[in-house]
Amino acid sequence: MSNIKIQRAKNSKINSVDWNNLRFGIFFSDHIFISDYKNGKWDEGRIEPYNAMSIEPAMCTLHYGQTIFEGMKGFRSVKGGANIFRPDMNAKRLNNSAKAVCIPEFDENLLLEGLKELVKLEYDWIPKEKGQSLYIRPVVFGSGNFLGVTASTEYKLIILLSPVASYYAEGLKPVKIMVSKDYVRAVTGGIGNAKTAANYAASLKAGMEAHKNGFSQVLWLDGVTRKYVDEVGAMNIMFVIDDELITPSLDRGSILPGITRLSVLHLAKDWGMKVSEREITIDEVADAYDKGKLQEVFGTGTAAVISPVGFLKYGDKEMTVNNNQIGPIAQKFYDTITGIQYGEIEDKFGWIMHIEV
Ligand SMILES: Cc1ncc(COP(=O)(O)O)c(C=O)c1O
């Protein structure tokens, strides 16, 4: 039994949800989990109605961006109850992001407990169709009111929930990606490996230009030499070259350590695939393409799980990957991970936090 106090909403908004047109991040459930940091410590947290919050114009995060967040998903298990995919890893990553921008760390167990109670309370908000899910967004921000570039002494941690549509309404679909030559997202020594607002603000302009040119996302190169592949806008990137699964290593510190990336690497090793986490230049990718050795390219991330890349453009170099079709390797990762998430495939690695309702 949890000790988390619950203040219930007077009216539910659930009847206003358009379940056939959920899209992403449009609808929010009735309650949030919230914890405050004051006088040097986090409180035990509580669940309360999702309401507008009042903030002062001097609220420091508006000015200096001291804020971090996470993104994970909950699913209706085919066996009943809810399945949350690897929330312990998200809690850990949130604390790593906290360290990067001087936000005080919090108790990961308390975060998971709050999440569990919130999802239990909001179980009806988990969409029923296969492919749909409940997106879980923890966010932490400095809530002090002052001007001056210094860390806040007060913070809020909030978990909000949003029922979201299937990323692929008509099955896995390859995307077009543009390699960014003009802009960089992060550099070694910076905060690219933290899930903090600044990295996303830095990506908007390049993303908008890519959209205008018909591309769905940007592939970032390292910010120093602009030769090495880092990651995509909201995904890590993987290449299959000569039957070897290759993904950029995290050593440069400019890549977000994706939890889907980690899961794909784990599965690949379990299946006996040749796997390499190493630096890879965009020229090596283009060279493999010219030699007919670039078999598959795909992104990994919570939103889409696996996103096959059908077309990659780097300056004048255009690469159509696997005839713009979903490759068998991408498909197998997608089927396995989504199977585990919905409780159809045995969770042999202990990745699911199951919530009985
Ligand atoms: C910049 C960036 N890289 C990679 C990822 C993929 O991470 P994950 O697999 O944990 O969703 C995300 C999404 O969270 C992201 O925003």
Side-chain angles (χ1 to χ4, degrees):
M1 200 45 200
S2 160
N3 292 326
I4 294 172
K5 289 203 176 66
I6 301 179
Q7 183 203 337
R8 285 176 183 268
K10 289 207 172 71
N11 299 302
S12 175
K13 300 172 290 193
I14 201 161
N15 288 334
S16 64
V17 175
D18 183 356
W19 297 98
N20 297 317
N21 191 20
L22 287 174
R23 291 166 287 162
F24 182 84
I26 304 289
F27 300 103
F28 302 103
S29 81
D30 291 324
H31 299 89
I32 57 170
F33 173 81
I34 180 162
S35 171
D36 290 299
Y37 181 92
K38 261 184 204 152
N39 303 320
K41 63 178 185 17
W42 287 103
D43 68 22
E44 67 281 8
R46 63 209 177 270
I47 289 174
E48 59 181 46
Y50 177 111
N51 278 326
M53 299 188 303
S54 82
I55 52 167
E56 288 192 24
M59 199 259 251
C60 61
T61 295
L62 293 179
H63 303 262
Y64 309 109
Q66 199 192 9
T67 176
I68 54 173
F69 64 99
E70 267 306 324
M72 62 192 124
K73 279 180 170 176
F75 308 85
R76 251 175 219 258
S77 169
V78 293
K79 297 179 194 131
N83 282 348
I84 317 287
F85 188 69
R86 309 195 77 175
D88 52 328
M89 300 306 292
N90 291 90
K92 203 177 272 179
R93 189 170 67 186
L94 192 59
N95 260 341
N96 280 334
S97 298
K99 278 184 240 166
V101 293
C102 303
I103 290 177
E105 291 174 57
F106 44 82
D107 180 348
E108 289 167 23
N109 289 329
L110 181 64
L111 179 83
L112 294 176
E113 191 56 34
L115 171 60
K116 209 174 195 171
E117 287 308 306
L118 183 64
V119 171
K120 212 187 257 184
L121 180 67
E122 305 288 66
Y123 182 70
D124 289 344
W125 285 84
I126 309 178
K128 296 193 173 71
E129 298 291 321
K130 172 92 196 273
Q132 298 176 327
S133 56
L134 187 69
Y135 185 77
I136 300 165
R137 166 56 59 87
V139 59
V140 190
F141 55 92
S143 53
N145 298 305
F146 60 88
L147 299 183
V149 183
T150 174
S152 183
T153 53
E154 295 182 5
Y155 297 87
K156 283 187 187 297
L157 180 156
I158 295 175
I159 306 175
L160 55 151
L161 306 177
S162 175
V164 297
S166 170
Y167 198 84
Y168 298 108
E170 296 124 28
L172 275 184
K173 196 166 154 263
V175 293
K176 286 172 82 173
I177 300 280
M178 191 174 104
V179 181
S180 178
K181 286 193 98 169
D182 298 334
Y183 305 103
V184 298
R185 171 189 175 271
V187 293
T188 299
I191 50 174
N193 55 2
K195 210 163 166 61
T196 184
N199 291 325
Y200 297 85
S203 76
L204 292 176
K205 197 163 175 225
M208 221 177 244
E209 287 181 16
H211 275 196
K212 242 188 247 163
N213 291 306
F215 293 85
S216 69
Q217 287 192 48
V218 167
L219 176 67
W220 299 104
L221 300 179
D222 80 279
V224 179
T225 69
R226 302 202 191 180
K227 284 184 184 157
Y228 296 99
V229 173
D230 263 0
E231 62 180 326
V232 183
M235 302 189 292
N236 294 109
I237 188 87
M238 307 228 169
F239 305 93
V240 183
I241 299 175
D242 240 354
D243 291 327
E244 182 180 7
L245 183 69
I246 303 167
T247 195
S249 59
L250 303 173
D251 301 344
R252 250 194 318 278
S254 51
I255 300 176
L256 189 79
I259 291 151
T260 321
R261 173 189 182 278
L262 194 69
S263 310
V264 163
L265 292 175
H266 195 107
L267 285 173
K269 286 175 194 158
D270 188 58
W271 296 340
M273 281 181 79
K274 201 170 163 204
V275 179
S276 274
E277 282 181 78
R278 63 167 171 85
E279 297 203 315
I280 178 165
T281 62
I282 191 67
D283 288 336
E284 182 183 342
V285 174
D287 189 51
Y289 175 78
D290 289 340
K291 292 187 172 130
K293 291 182 172 182
L294 182 65
Q295 294 157 266
E296 294 189 33
V297 180
F298 54 88
T300 64
T302 297
V305 183
I306 301 293
S307 192
V309 177
F311 185 77
L312 198 57
K313 188 164 162 47
Y314 174 52
D316 295 332
K317 177 89 183 162
E318 299 191 336
M319 297 172 254
T320 300
V321 187
N322 193 39
N323 292 321
N324 199 23
Q325 302 295 312
I326 305 133
I329 296 172
Q331 185 75 56
K332 190 173 172 194
F333 283 125
Y334 180 79
D335 292 343
T336 307
I337 294 176
T338 55
I340 294 170
Q341 289 173 333
Y342 288 93
E344 295 162 339
I345 292 179
E346 188 202 341
D347 173 29
K348 70 173 184 173
F349 306 115
W351 287 346
I352 297 297
M353 181 170 91
H354 183 71
I355 301 173
E356 293 289 346
V357 283

